[in-house]
Amino acid sequence: MLDSLSEQLSSEWERQIMLFLVAALLLMGIALGTAAHLPVPVTLLAAAVIAGWLLVFFLRERRHRSEVTSR
């Protein structure tokens, strides 16, 4: 029973991770596609925002993985 619940939660977590990564890549693609039409400072700002978003994701994921393995 617990194994089934654990697998279901793990599967849901993986779906959320994949959705987050797809959204990040989509935003990055949009930013890169519009980079030819935007001034350089705006493009750099958008790149910094996306990089920050990915850094926060990395840190949250790393913390989550360490909590799961310590249990």
Side-chain angles (χ1 to χ4, degrees):
M1 179 77 174
L2 282 176
D3 290 337
S4 174
L5 181 60
S6 176
E7 288 176 14
Q8 186 178 11
L9 289 174
S10 176
S11 176
E12 182 63 31
W13 182 251
E14 289 174 2
R15 279 190 222 126
Q16 289 179 356
I17 290 171
M18 290 303 291
L19 181 61
F20 181 86
L21 290 176
V22 167
L25 288 173
L26 177 68
L27 287 176
M28 187 175 72
I30 290 170
L32 288 174
T34 60
H37 306 287
L38 293 175
V40 173
V42 175
T43 302
L44 293 176
L45 178 64
V49 168
I50 292 170
W53 185 22
L54 290 173
L55 179 64
V56 168
F57 169 76
F58 168 75
L59 294 173
R60 287 179 61 200
E61 182 64 20
R62 183 174 170 188
R63 185 179 64 197
H64 172 74
R65 295 276 183 214
S66 67
E67 288 175 0
V68 169
T69 57
S70 66
R71 289 182 186 179

